[in-house]
């Protein structure tokens, strides 16, 4: 298979990348290439130019700055899954990445920036970023901008990103306390993409506590964009977590959803996606809760 | 004289001789062969399923680096003879004539396309990249004809005819078995069950995409082909007919090949056109398909739909089976397609002593790519349906499905056993083999556990599927091509041995197993045996590898050649030691007179002596080399049972395979580790048929299953080749019931997993959710389908 | 459209090469067609089968889904570079001992992926081998069981 011809430009800095994007009508950013190259090989995408951003050092690294964790846009799935900092401060993110398929070969090169920029409804990051209240940091001719994930993704494979902009980093607010994460996913067997993926971000005081200080749960794959499960969150937030409450919260998962927006396609009918939601929500929350002992209310 | 044993002989799980080369990165496929001045072919393929068309290639001809563009007119107007249509392997079944000649596949579409992906022409260029870019410069205008994509659509009253000469799209129709007796048995039955289902189209999908190289030498008029095929000699024969080129001026070589599974049994239009193009341009030309192109046109398997029925007596005896099958052939009848129907009928009674069977088959053309051999061929749909019916009718009669099977097995003393479908099974001991599986599962306690768990709201299911297959496909005369096994053996003066095998190795480990046969027979170490295969240049003759025939037929031919050699050597040893040949023993590579073992002569000494021609019996020719065309008296019929335990979550329809036990009896095993590998590999493909795989066409005939991974929004996500995470661990248990007629009692068994797994897995899932009173399910059984079956609305 | 070729320096199995390629040339194509690395197999072309897996700076990647220009400066290893003067590595040896290959088309890619995987997880469970170590590869012949056995055996030996 051969892609069409294109010219290749290696950007040295974010500024340079933006300039390169501005000079071509139909330029695309090349990061890990795991989303882009297969499409170009099928000649479904035929950009005139590719701007390779992988040499830009400022897009790398995962670090803590005051009250946010900054994940450089070029961070690979592998780096994120292995990040001790993320496991500590936003565990839902590495937990999610563990469910991304394609094997280590994909994890070694595919990036978080490319994943969120492609905004494919079967991709996994969006739910985790939504649940953690992350901002997508975007740079373009007009400078830097922070866009909440919920605004960044407009629909299936569609974002607010302009053609001359790039994702430079993702910022996750740090919460103080014992933050726990879980991710449960029903895969489509061929592509490995999500039919339903549930990301759970829970905050407790410490690793014994069962009082849920905050609960943010988002589902991807279910609709064109990831959505928060408000009803489930409300059943948990500020409450003592009990087995009954956990189940009731999962049972309620679809009650705050617009069921007409649920995807209905060959991978799964809308009905079936909704059927999978409750058990996946349970699994995800349980993973986040982990070993702590839950007592039944009497 | 008795055969000899050594550590590497028959029955030993020696490591494969093929592995080292692969592991060191040294294997070479068609696409890996260095060529200095080859031109590259890209085929122009139809994007529509059913249309008349015109092609404008003007712009493509102007692309720099393009050497030639062939539209249909260019091919027809060339001085090189236009390729003849493909021929067929055989008529569909006894008493049914060959289908109309107009249905035989053509190498390219002249003015009408019949399926998505059909070849319209080709671009030949200096590089593959240039050829690919030039394809985009070709304009094809289509005038669409309403396509018929399924047998049902094709046989509807107002359906468009795909081929004018066959207005009803029915290519052939016929019955096999005793219809009246079968009907009568059904009337007398206490219980009957009918299943109306289809065994869906699946794609064999070898991991290496197809490729071919054609090299033509103008001076000698020799055409050299290097290609991905399972049947080099038969490929050559077909090419000779189609290109009207002398067979002795064509050679076909198959380098290392990444799988076949039946899909590489019969050549394709692309193969023929690569040869044609080499002749026309008098150049070396090369074609390598992309995965998409490969999937688009490589033959699918199965494509059976229809009605299957079983009749049971009050006591639990199976009285008859009946089937009415609509067989999807694709747009043209592929070379092997017609005869596959017959093969299925032969074994439609499975392992059971069933007095009556009748099967009616209608072969229907549709606007889709061709259907032909795929591992398991028609045994897969026929036995999947039979085994589903046996389980269902047992339940209907309130009997245990394992007990009904045991009651109906053909008994060991009934062999050779003539089936109601027309086969003659060579040997078997079904119950003994079956019981080993039941013991492994602890079947009766498992049934009790199933009951207990149901009370707790957990649903496990046990699925059983017994299997046989037409292995060791011979004897000659039953179809219109040769079906012997070819094996030549040459003993070098140094005592080393070269085996020339008429089969094709593409994963089955022949270099090892055929080497083991020679090592065993000649008493030489495996390391001194070399196996040559896959080449018309080096191997005199051959029929190829398909239908699980190599162990029995090539192995048999090699053994027979070895035995001729041992006999000849015995005469030399007798001459040398001054005794008569009848008192010479041969054991572990040495000859000795019975009464004076100290006078031993080694095999390699004898080899040197015969080679030199000095001091050998007077009437004897020098040289130690023999060949055998082994025409067996029958096919071989291996057998066994797969038993599967699943647990289904009724809330979501998701399932887990908890246990998978496969019992096997393929007669004498040459290399048990290779046998196990074949079983597990076959199970993966059978599991794919049961749970994941399905070739999909859109209503307009667009093929949708080409990519193995697809991110197109709304698509199915791709064609699922089962992954490591989808497979359970598998327990294999064997018994040995030798074939009475092959030289070692080997039967062959390459397809069993693919035959047995679908029925066993489907039965297990249906058994698990039986309390929900479900309708029979249609594979591939996705969790969503299970969930729908359990929760279907308006359930009675 | 004519585009400028790019000059790329890559080290392949210890040997340094400078090539001038169209930007669209895939790493798999450069390695196979220019450097004779035909041990890299092309199975799916959609980044799923892993038959084309090589290691780039020690990390396994699917070479059919990389442009050669992205490999500028990289140190590439293929399966041909593993064995030391013909002595198979523990992983390679385990593959033949366990009958973990049939046609062998998937094998070079799987071995390269497993070679990296066992560096990170030295004692994987069978489930981890199926879900993680082999997640990026397809095999149509073996049904995977013997591959799982081989990875288990190799992990024990490497320990
Ligand atoms: C076999 C396989 C299995 C996979 N399974 C999963 C899975 O289970 N779950 C999942 O979530 N994903 C899965 N993926 C998809 C993969 O995770 C994404 O394709 C990858 O994250 C994209 O990142 P990349 O760096 O490779 O992006 P690229 O392919 O380089 O780019 C993707 C798109 O984003 C644009 N882009 C890239 N970087 C930026 C940036 N910084 N700013 C703006 N635009 C940018 C590109 O122009 C392009 O349009 C799988 C992929 C493969 C090949
Ligand atoms: S060919 Fe590269 S992943 Fe399949
Ligand atoms: S051994 Fe053939 S694809 Fe794996």
């Amino acid at each position: 298979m051969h892609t069409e011809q294109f010219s290749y430009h290696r950007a040295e800095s974010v500024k340079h990348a933006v300039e390169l994007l501005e000079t071509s009508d139909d330029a695309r950013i090349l990061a890990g290439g795991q989303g882009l190259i297969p499409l170009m090989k099928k000649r479904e995408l035929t950009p005139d130019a590719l701007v390779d951003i992988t040499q830009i050092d400022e897009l790398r690294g995962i670090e803590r700055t005051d009250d946010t964790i900054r994940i450089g846009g070029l961070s690979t799935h592998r780096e994120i899954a292995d990040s001790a900092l993320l496991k500590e401060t936003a565990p839902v993110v590495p937990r999610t990445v563990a469910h991304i398929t394609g094997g280590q070969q994909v994890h070694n090169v595919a990036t978080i920036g490319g994943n969120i920029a492609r905004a494919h409804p079967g991709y996994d990051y969006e739910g985790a970023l939504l649940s953690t209240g992350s901002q997508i940091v975007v740079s373009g001719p007009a400078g830097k901008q922070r866009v909440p994930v919920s605004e960044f993704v407009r629909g299936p494979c569609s974002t607010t990103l302009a053609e001359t902009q790039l994702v430079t980093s993702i910022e996750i607010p740090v919460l103080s306390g014992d933050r726990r994460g879980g991710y449960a996913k029903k895969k489509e067997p061929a592509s490995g993409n999500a039919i339903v993926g549930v990301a759970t971000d829970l905050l407790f005081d410490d690793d014994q506590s069962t009082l849920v200080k905050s609960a943010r749960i988002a589902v991807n794959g279910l609709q064109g964009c990831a959505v928060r499960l408000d009803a489930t969150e409300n059943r948990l937030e500020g409450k003592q977590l009990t087995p009954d409450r956990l189940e009731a919260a999962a049972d309620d998962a679809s009650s705050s959803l617009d069921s007409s927006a649920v995807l209905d396609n060959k991978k799964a009918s809308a009905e079936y996606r909704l059927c999978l939601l409750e058990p996946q929500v349970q699994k995800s929350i349980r993973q986040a809760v982990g070993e702590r002992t839950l007592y039944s209310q009497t | 004289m008795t055969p000899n044993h050594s550590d590497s002989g028959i029955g030993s799980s020696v490591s494969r001789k093929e592995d080292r080369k692969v592991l060191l990165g040294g294997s070479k496929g068609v696409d890996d062969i260095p060529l200095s001045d080859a031109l590259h072919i890209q085929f122009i393929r139809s994007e529509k399923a059913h249309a008349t068309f015109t092609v404008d290639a003007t712009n493509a001809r102007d692309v720099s680096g393009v050497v030639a563009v062939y539209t249909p007119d260019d091919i027809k107007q060339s001085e090189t003879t236009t390729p003849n249509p493909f021929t067929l392997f055989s008529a569909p079944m006894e008493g049914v004539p060959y289908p109309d000649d107009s249905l035989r596949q053509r190498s390219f579409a002249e003015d009408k396309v019949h399926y998505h992906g059909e070849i319209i022409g080709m671009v030949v260029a200096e590089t593959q990249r240039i050829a690919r870019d030039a394809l985009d410069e070709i304009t094809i205008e289509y005038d669409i004809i309403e396509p018929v994509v399924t047998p049902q659509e094709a046989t509807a009253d107002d359906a468009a005819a795909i081929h004018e000469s066959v207005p009803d799209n029915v290519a052939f129709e016929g019955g096999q078995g005793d219809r009246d007796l079968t009907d009568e048995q059904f009337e007398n039955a206490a219980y009957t069950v009918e299943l109306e289902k289809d065994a869906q189209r699946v794609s064999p999908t070898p991991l290496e995409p197809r490729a071919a190289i054609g090299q033509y030498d103008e001076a000698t008029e020799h055409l050299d082909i290097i290609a991905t095929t399972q049947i080099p000699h038969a490929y050559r024969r077909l090419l000779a007919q189609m290109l009207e080129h002398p067979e002795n001026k064509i050679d076909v070589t198959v380098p290392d090949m990444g799988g076949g599974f039946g899909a590489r049994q019969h050549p394709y239009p692309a193969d023929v056109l690569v040869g044609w193009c080499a002749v026309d341009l008098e150049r070396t030309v090369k074609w390598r398909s992309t995965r998409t192109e490969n999937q688009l046109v490589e033959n699918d398997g199965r494509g059976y739909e229809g009605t299957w029925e079983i009749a049971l007596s009050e006591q639990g005896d199976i009285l008859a089976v009946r089937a009415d099958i609509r067989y999807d052939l694709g747009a043209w009848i592929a070379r092997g397609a017609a005869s596959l129907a017959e093969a299925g009928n032969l074994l439609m009674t499975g392992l059971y002593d069933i007095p009556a069977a009748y099967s009616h088959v209608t072969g229907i053309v549709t606007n889709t790519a061709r259907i032909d051999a795929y591992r398991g061929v028609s045994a897969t749909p026929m036995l999947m349906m039979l085994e589903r019916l046996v389980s269902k009718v047992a339940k209907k009669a309130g009997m245990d499905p394992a007990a009904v099977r045991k009651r109906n097995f053909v008994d060991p003393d009934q062999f050779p056993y003539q089936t109601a479908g027309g086969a003659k099974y060579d040997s078997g001991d079904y119950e003994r083999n079956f019981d080993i599986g039941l013991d492994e599962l602890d079947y009766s306690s498992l049934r009790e556990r199933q009951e207990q768990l149901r009370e707790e709201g957990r649903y496990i299911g046990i699925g059983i599927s017994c299997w046989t297959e037409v292995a060791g496909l011979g004897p000659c005369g039953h179809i219109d091509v040769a079906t012997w096994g070819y094996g030549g053996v040459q003993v070098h003066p140094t005592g080393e041995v070269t085996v020339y095998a008429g089969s094709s190795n593409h994963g089955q480990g022949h270099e090892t197993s055929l080497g083991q046969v020679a090592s065993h027979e000649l008493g030489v170490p495996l390391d001194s045996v070399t196996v040559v295969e896959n080449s018309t240049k080096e191997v005199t003759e051959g029929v190829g590898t398909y239908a699980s025939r190599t162990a029995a037929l090539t192995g048999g031919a090699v053994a027979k050649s070895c035995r001729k050699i041992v006999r000849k050597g015995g005469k030399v040893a007798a001459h040398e030691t001054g005794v008569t040949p009848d008192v010479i023993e041969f054991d572990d590579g040495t000859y000795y007179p019975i009464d004076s073992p100290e006078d031993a002569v080694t095999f390699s000494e004898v080899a040197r002596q015969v080679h030199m021609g000095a001091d050998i019996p007077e009437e004897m020719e020098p040289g130690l080399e023999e060949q055998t065309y082994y025409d067996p008296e029958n096919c071989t019929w291996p057998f066994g049972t797969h038993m599967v335990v699943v647990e289904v979550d009724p809330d979501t329809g998701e399932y887990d395979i908890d246990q998978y036990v496969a019992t096997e009896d393929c007669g004498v095993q040459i290399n048990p580790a290779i046998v196990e590998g074949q079983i597990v590999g076959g199970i993966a493909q059978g599991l794919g048929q049961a749970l994941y795989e399905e070739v999909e066409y859109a209503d307009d005939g667009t093929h949708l299953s080409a990519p193995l991974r697809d991110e197109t929004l709304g698509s199915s996500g791709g064609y699922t080749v089962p992954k490591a995470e989808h497979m359970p661990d598998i327990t294999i248990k064997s018994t040995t019931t030798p074939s009475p007629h092959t030289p070692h009692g080997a039967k062959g068994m390459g397809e069993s997993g693919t035959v047995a797994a679908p029925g066993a897995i489907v039965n297990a899932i249906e058994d698990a959710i039986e309390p929900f009173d479900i309708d029979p399910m249609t594979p591939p059984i996705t969790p969503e389908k299970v969930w729908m079956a359990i929760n279907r609305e308006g359930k009675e | 459209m004519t585009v400028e070729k790019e000059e790329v320096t890559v080290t392949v199995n210890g040997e340094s090469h400078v090539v001038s390629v169209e930007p669209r040339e895939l790493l798999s194509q450069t390695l196979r067609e220019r450097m004779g690395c035909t041990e890299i197999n092309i199975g799916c072309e959609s980044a799923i089968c892993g038959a084309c897996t090589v290691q780039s700076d020690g990390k396994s990647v699917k070479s059919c889904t990389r442009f050669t220009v992205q490999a500028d400066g990289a140190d590439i290893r293929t399966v041909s570079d593993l064995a030391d003067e013909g002595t198979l590595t523990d992983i390679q040896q385990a593959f033949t001992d366990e009958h973990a290959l049939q046609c062998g088309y998937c094998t070079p890619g799987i071995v390269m992926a497993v070679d990296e995987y066992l560096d990170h997880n030295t004692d994987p469970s069978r489930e981890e081998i199926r879900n993680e170590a082999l997640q990026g590869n397809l095999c149509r012949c073996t049904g995977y069981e013997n591959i799982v056995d081989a990875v288990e055996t190799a992990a024990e030996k490497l320990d």
Side-chain angles (χ1 to χ4, degrees), chain B residues 361-408:
Chain B
V361 183
T362 313
I364 298 162
V365 285
T366 59
N367 289 116
T368 61
R370 79 190 200 190
I371 290 211
D372 202 335
Y374 171 38
R375 196 181 203 175
V377 289
S378 39
T380 296
M382 292 308 265
L383 293 185
M384 167 162 69
M385 290 305 180
L386 174 67
E387 291 298 318
R388 293 182 70 184
L389 286 170
V390 172
S391 289
K392 287 188 190 307
V393 80
K395 287 184 178 174
K396 194 167 180 185
M399 299 174 195
D400 179 83
V404 168
R405 285 180 167 86
K406 284 174 73 140
R407 182 184 173 92
N408 285 281

Side-chain angles (χ1 to χ4, degrees), chain B residues 240-540:
Chain B
Q241 285 165 9
M242 292 181 66
L243 298 178
E244 298 185 5
H245 196 85
E247 184 177 310
N248 59 3
K249 289 190 174 178
I250 301 178
D251 271 305
V252 177
T253 316
V254 189
D256 297 317
M257 182 162 86
F261 314 118
R264 309 276 157 91
Q265 184 178 340
H266 298 127
Y268 291 78
D271 296 275
V272 178
L273 288 174
V274 168
W276 183 91
C277 188
V279 175
D280 195 60
L281 293 175
E282 296 175 346
R283 288 285 301 268
T284 296
V285 292
K286 171 175 175 176
W287 164 71
R288 188 219 189 259
S289 64
T290 60
R291 172 55 56 187
T292 311
E293 186 180 13
N294 190 81
Q295 299 306 95
L296 200 54
V297 296
E298 186 158 81
N299 70 244
D300 294 331
R302 326 299 179 227
Y304 271 42
E305 47 176 72
T307 313
W308 279 260
E309 296 166 275
I310 195 165
L312 194 77
S313 76
E314 191 63 52
Q315 296 75 31
D317 295 322
I318 305 174
L319 300 176
V321 284
R322 193 159 61 188
D324 187 6
I325 296 161
R326 290 186 303 277
Y327 182 17
D328 184 352
L329 299 164
W332 302 95
I333 300 196
R335 207 167 137 67
S339 53
L340 297 181
E342 182 187 19
N345 296 342
L346 289 175
L347 45 61
M348 70 181 290
T349 53
L351 301 190
Y352 313 110
D353 182 15
I354 305 178
Y358 177 75
S359 160
H360 182 263
V361 183
T362 313
I364 298 162
V365 285
T366 59
N367 289 116
T368 61
R370 79 190 200 190
I371 290 211
D372 202 335
Y374 171 38
R375 196 181 203 175
V377 289
S378 39
T380 296
M382 292 308 265
L383 293 185
M384 167 162 69
M385 290 305 180
L386 174 67
E387 291 298 318
R388 293 182 70 184
L389 286 170
V390 172
S391 289
K392 287 188 190 307
V393 80
K395 287 184 178 174
K396 194 167 180 185
M399 299 174 195
D400 179 83
V404 168
R405 285 180 167 86
K406 284 174 73 140
R407 182 184 173 92
N408 285 281
F409 281 147
V410 176
D411 289 329
D413 60 9
Q414 286 177 282
F415 292 93
Y417 174 80
Q418 186 71 45
T419 72
K424 194 164 95 184
Y425 292 168
D426 56 343
S427 65
D429 190 347
Y430 299 161
E431 191 164 344
R432 178 169 70 113
N433 182 276
F434 186 77
D435 283 342
I436 290 175
L438 291 185
D439 285 351
E440 183 66 27
L441 280 191
D442 199 357
Y443 181 74
S444 40
S445 351
L446 198 60
R447 283 284 179 209
E448 283 167 25
R449 197 172 128 72
Q450 181 180 38
E451 281 306 311
Q452 288 161 6
L453 285 175
R454 278 183 186 171
E455 276 160 32
E456 297 167 23
R458 286 179 58 190
Y459 297 87
I460 65 165
I462 309 163
I464 301 177
S465 176
C466 300
W467 63 270
T468 180
E469 55 160 314
V470 193
L473 185 69
C476 292
H478 78 287
I479 54 176
D480 295 342
V481 295
T483 50
W484 28 256
Y486 177 83
V489 178
Q490 175 193 4
V491 183
H492 299 262
T494 46
E496 281 127 9
V497 174
T498 303
V499 169
Y500 299 90
S503 36
S504 153
N505 192 15
H506 43 277
Q508 300 86 343
H510 296 165
E511 205 178 321
T512 310
S513 58
L514 296 176
Q516 284 179 262
V517 171
S519 158
H520 183 91
E521 292 284 340
L522 301 175
V524 297
L526 182 59
D527 278 348
S528 6
V529 184
T530 300
V531 176
V532 178
E533 220 179 358
N534 287 339
S535 165
T536 61
K537 285 183 188 165
E538 295 181 88
V539 182
T540 311

Side-chain angles (χ1 to χ4, degrees), chain A residues 1-5 34-35 39 41-44 101 118 120-121 123 156-157 186-193 265-272 275-276 279-280 283, chain B residues 42 128-129 132-133 136 290-292 649 651-654 692 696 704 707-721 723 725-726 783-784 787-788 793:
Chain A
M1 271 176 153
H2 307 280
T3 73
E4 284 195 5
Q5 299 268 26
Q34 302 302 291
L39 292 173
K41 284 168 76 180
K42 290 206 267 178
R43 301 197 172 196
E44 282 177 18
T101 62
R118 174 127 166 84
H120 193 285
Y123 281 8
C157 297
K186 178 74 184 170
K187 284 185 234 178
E188 185 280 308
S191 64
N193 284 349
N265 58 29
K266 288 182 199 155
K267 292 189 187 78
S269 66
E271 239 187 324
Y272 188 57
C275 148
L276 290 173
Q280 296 295 335
K283 226 193 260 179
Chain B
Q42 286 272 345
Q128 203 189 45
R129 236 173 247 118
R132 175 62 189 86
D133 287 345
D136 286 354
T290 60
R291 172 55 56 187
T292 311
D649 177 347
D651 293 334
T652 61
E654 293 166 289
Y692 297 109
E696 198 190 338
L704 298 175
L708 302 186
R709 183 171 189 277
D710 191 357
E711 286 194 353
T712 311
L713 291 173
S715 75
S716 65
Y719 186 83
T720 310
V721 168
K723 303 182 170 122
E725 62 181 333
H726 298 139
E784 177 164 1
W787 177 76
M788 296 258 287
E793 282 179 48

Side-chain angles (χ1 to χ4, degrees), chain A residues 3-135:
Chain A
T3 73
E4 284 195 5
Q5 299 268 26
F6 57 85
S7 62
Y8 172 80
H9 310 276
R10 196 170 285 151
E12 257 126 46
S13 63
V14 171
K15 194 163 154 277
H16 186 208
V18 173
E19 283 165 16
L20 288 167
L21 289 169
E22 279 181 314
T23 51
S24 165
D25 275 353
D26 184 20
R28 284 265 176 173
I29 293 167
L30 172 65
Q34 302 302 291
L36 186 64
I37 297 175
L39 292 173
M40 289 178 63
K41 284 168 76 180
K42 290 206 267 178
R43 301 197 172 196
E44 282 177 18
L45 272 185
T46 55
D48 286 341
L50 289 188
V51 176
D52 184 344
I53 58 171
T54 53
Q55 302 303 310
I56 306 178
D57 280 342
E58 52 190 302
L59 298 180
R60 301 207 167 269
I62 304 170
E63 70 263 321
R64 186 175 176 151
T65 54
D66 297 335
D67 48 5
T68 55
I69 306 292
R70 175 194 165 276
I71 305 177
L74 275 179
S75 303
T76 62
H77 298 353
R78 176 57 149 278
E79 287 160 359
I80 290 170
D82 288 350
S83 162
L85 179 63
L86 284 173
K87 283 181 194 168
E88 171 80 31
T89 54
V92 63
V93 178
R95 282 249 156 101
T96 297
V97 178
H99 289 262
I100 294 183
T101 62
Q104 57 201 341
Q105 298 99 314
V106 170
H107 284 217
N108 281 336
V109 291
T111 65
I112 187 170
N115 193 288
I116 198 70
R118 174 127 166 84
H120 193 285
Y123 281 8
D124 294 295
Y125 266 116
E126 195 190 338
L129 298 186
L130 187 62
S131 72
T132 48
S134 304
Q135 309 257 2

Side-chain angles (χ1 to χ4, degrees), chain A residues 41, chain C residues 41-53 62-65:
Chain A
K41 284 168 76 180
Chain C
N41 291 328
I42 307 301
C44 70
E45 303 179 271
S46 50
I48 185 137
C49 80
C52 63
T53 301
K62 294 174 178 175
S63 62
C64 75
T65 310

